[in-house]
Amino acid sequence: MLKRTLAANDGTTPETRLYRLVADRIQQLIRDEHIAPGERLPSERDLATKLSVSRASLREALIALELGGVIEVRGGSGVYVSERPAPADLPEAGPGPFEVLSARRLIESEIAAIAARVATDGAIDAILKAVVEMEQNHSNYSSNEAADRNFHIAIARATGNSALVGSLDYLWDQRGRLWHKLKEHFQTEELRQETLKDHRRILEAIAAHDPAAARKAMRAHLERVTRTFSRG
């Protein structure tokens, strides 16, 4: 199994992200197996087996290589070596999408539970406003994305704890190029519709001041997003 490695310096540099290590392994495989520009790579399943990594880590690595111009992901066809490969300029070295989702599952589930205990009528109205905005801007990506963020931040604000708001702000800001390209490939109309339903369930649990239901609804929402993006 691939292991995460620390940079060899003074020990203060963050560890290399697993998806970047997997991306390096994929590029080495392309060289070793002489996969020429324009040729198709093995399937995701076969690549994951060959490299002994999870589908989630593999998918992050492939998206990073796509953003770096090394490969092309063709929907319904597969992954191909770029016809004009350039030196890989992999995206940000921050946490990958699945790391962020994992952290959010832990933190936001409890945020939702706290909000359900202490949310004022005004705080619940702010969460409702974000839900309505997301529903009204369903087909507009940028507006929908902004409303999605407003929804999750409104729940954090409903706790009355500014440290939790800051923590969620940080996690949301980690949704960089890698996240958006992953979402572009694997977001579906079904997922968008389910997200709207999830948000309504979370809102209803908070409005009912039911911490257990709010925790469960938030965790279910983020687990479903993780499954969709990791399995396609």
Side-chain angles (χ1 to χ4, degrees):
M1 198 71 170
L2 274 177
K3 304 294 184 182
R4 300 177 185 224
T5 58
L6 293 173
N9 56 15
D10 62 1
T12 61
T13 299
E15 63 187 63
T16 302
R17 300 296 170 185
L18 181 56
Y19 71 85
R20 295 177 72 88
L21 296 176
V22 178
D24 289 343
R25 290 281 301 279
I26 294 170
Q27 291 184 89
Q28 187 62 49
L29 180 144
I30 291 171
R31 291 190 291 270
D32 290 347
E33 299 196 0
H34 307 290
I35 304 175
E39 290 187 352
R40 188 177 183 275
L41 269 64
S43 69
E44 283 192 13
R45 183 186 299 276
D46 289 343
L47 277 175
T49 300
K50 188 183 290 283
L51 299 176
S52 298
V53 297
S54 69
R55 289 285 291 276
S57 295
L58 177 70
R59 187 156 285 179
E60 286 180 336
L62 289 173
I63 296 299
L65 290 173
E66 181 184 20
L67 288 170
V70 177
I71 63 170
E72 299 173 14
V73 179
R74 303 176 189 174
S77 178
V79 179
Y80 295 78
V81 177
S82 176
E83 294 280 5
R84 291 186 294 276
D89 179 20
L90 299 187
E92 64 275 357
F98 294 104
E99 284 184 284
V100 173
L101 281 167
S102 178
R104 288 182 61 194
R105 284 198 306 275
L106 288 172
I107 295 171
E108 288 200 66
S109 297
E110 292 309 310
I111 286 176
I114 296 170
R117 285 197 296 271
V118 304
T120 63
D121 289 345
I124 293 171
D125 285 344
I127 300 170
L128 172 60
K129 179 181 177 183
V131 170
V132 172
E133 286 177 352
M134 198 169 180
E135 291 171 344
Q136 291 176 340
N137 294 287
H138 176 67
S139 59
N140 184 310
Y141 181 85
S142 60
S143 297
N144 185 275
E145 181 80 1
D148 192 6
R149 179 174 185 148
N150 290 342
F151 171 77
H152 289 275
I153 294 296
I155 294 173
R157 287 179 178 148
T159 67
N161 187 322
S162 61
L164 290 176
V165 177
S167 297
L168 188 53
D169 252 333
Y170 167 78
L171 287 172
W172 202 275
D173 287 342
Q174 301 311 300
R175 292 162 47 120
R177 293 170 61 208
L178 206 61
W179 167 272
H180 291 292
K181 179 59 74 171
L182 184 70
K183 188 173 181 180
E184 177 186 317
H185 279 305
F186 302 107
Q187 172 81 290
T188 63
E189 178 61 23
E190 180 183 5
L191 178 61
R192 284 190 287 268
Q193 291 293 342
E194 287 301 321
T195 295
L196 295 178
K197 293 176 185 176
D198 285 352
H199 283 194
R200 278 285 176 180
R201 291 187 193 102
I202 296 165
L203 168 63
E204 289 166 4
I206 293 173
H209 297 288
D210 186 338
R215 181 186 293 110
K216 180 179 179 181
M218 181 64 79
R219 178 172 287 277
H221 167 53
L222 294 171
E223 285 177 345
R224 187 177 48 69
V225 174
T226 302
R227 286 195 305 272
T228 299
F229 286 174
S230 61
R231 297 176 187 171

